[in-house]
């Protein structure tokens, strides 16, 4: 792409603003988005961490389900933590509605109460797990990019990327995950133009 990629962070609930400096440092434009007109203007989405049940309620209350499903089918999407839960095919404990963007099964709060939150290094970068989901199952078509304690925590498939952890809380800009997502967005549009 000739111009800067515009990355829309879905701004209904959750950790939206911490993505801004990572996105800008990676050379793209940050937008907090919550209306269909704003969705139309972005090249890709980040579904942030937060509470997936609250996000679902707001999506339904504002009648955004169909418009978001159409956007997600057409553009790159990165789900962070709660965002992973929204993107999964199947959600457990408890089951809830999801956009079914890729063939994975996730268990909400799968690390249990003992490990509600912790910091670890993924590819040498400090990230946070905060009441994270556990990926219980992923089809072979889904590429596992990083594993933590035996569980896949960073996955990629086509135009989609997932991290069950938060890289955006670290203040070393940009995170390798933001960089990787931007590269994915650029590749997606280069392929489309070819
Ligand atoms: N536990 C939250 C959920 O189920 C996700 C937590 C997070 O996004 N940090 O939606």
């Amino acid at each position: 792409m000739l111009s800067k990629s515009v990355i829309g962070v879905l701004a209904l609930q959750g950790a939206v603003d911490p993505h801004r400096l990572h996105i800008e440092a990676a050379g793209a434009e940050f937008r907090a988005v919550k209306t269909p007109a704003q969705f139309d203007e972005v090249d890709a989405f980040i579904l942030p961490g937060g509470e997936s049940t609250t996000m679902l309620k707001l999506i339904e209350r504002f009648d955004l389900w169909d418009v978001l499903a159409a956007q997600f089918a057409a553009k790159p999407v990165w789900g962070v933590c709660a965002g992973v839960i929204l993107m999964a095919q199947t959600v457990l404990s408890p089951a809830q509605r999801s956009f079914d963007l890729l063939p994975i099964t996730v268990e909400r709060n799968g690390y249990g109460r003992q490990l509600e939150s912790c910091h670890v290094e993924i590819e040498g970068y400090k990230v946070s797990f905060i009441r994270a989901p556990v990926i219980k199952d992923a089809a072979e078509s889904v590429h596992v990019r990083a594993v933590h304690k035996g569980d896949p925590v960073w996955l990629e498939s086509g135009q989609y990327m997932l991290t069950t952890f938060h890289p955006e809380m670290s203040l070393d800009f940009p995170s390798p995950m933001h960089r990787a997502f931007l590269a994915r967005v650029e590749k997606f549009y280069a392929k489309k133009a070819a």
Side-chain angles (χ1 to χ4, degrees):
M1 265 192 306
L2 292 175
S3 52
K4 269 189 184 180
S5 301
V6 180
I7 309 299
V9 184
L10 186 64
L12 297 172
Q13 188 268 338
V16 176
D17 232 56
H19 285 283
R20 179 191 295 270
L21 294 175
H22 288 280
I23 289 171
E24 291 174 356
E29 189 181 327
F30 165 94
R31 301 255 179 97
V33 294
K34 55 182 167 190
T35 67
Q38 293 170 335
F39 301 157
D40 276 339
E41 288 176 1
V42 303
D43 298 311
F45 289 90
I46 295 178
L47 306 185
E51 258 321 303
S52 57
T53 44
T54 308
M55 293 180 196
L56 280 177
K57 274 190 201 142
L58 294 170
I59 288 169
E60 287 172 355
R61 182 175 312 159
F62 299 129
D63 203 14
L64 294 174
W65 191 277
D66 292 344
V67 70
L68 281 174
Q71 290 284 334
F72 299 161
K75 296 175 183 176
V77 184
W78 170 16
V80 176
C81 200
V84 171
I85 299 168
L86 294 183
M87 291 171 74
Q89 182 176 60
T90 308
V91 179
L92 307 174
S93 91
Q96 64 185 31
R97 197 178 182 194
S98 56
F99 283 95
D100 187 6
L101 299 183
L102 67 176
I104 59 161
T105 298
V106 301
E107 182 186 357
R108 293 185 58 211
N109 304 311
Y111 292 102
R113 288 252 169 92
Q114 285 81 8
L115 205 69
E116 290 221 316
S117 146
C118 69
H119 304 291
V120 305
E121 287 208 354
I122 302 286
E123 292 194 2
Y125 189 79
K126 196 171 141 210
V127 303
S128 317
F129 284 88
I130 307 168
R131 303 184 66 231
V134 174
I135 313 260
K136 287 293 185 192
D137 196 31
E140 259 178 45
S141 58
V142 181
H143 171 68
V144 176
R145 180 147 176 184
V147 171
H148 175 63
K149 293 198 172 147
D151 293 315
V153 294
W154 182 2
L155 301 100
E156 301 169 317
S157 177
Q159 79 227 50
Y160 304 125
M161 187 173 113
L162 310 172
T163 58
T164 60
F165 54 83
H166 293 252
E168 78 281 8
M169 304 297 177
S170 296
L171 301 180
D172 184 5
F173 310 113
S175 81
M177 294 80 200
H178 286 84
R179 231 191 277 248
F181 184 60
L182 256 297
R184 217 163 181 81
V185 172
E186 275 160 28
K187 204 166 131 200
F188 176 81
Y189 285 101
K191 238 190 198 164
K192 247 179 122 174

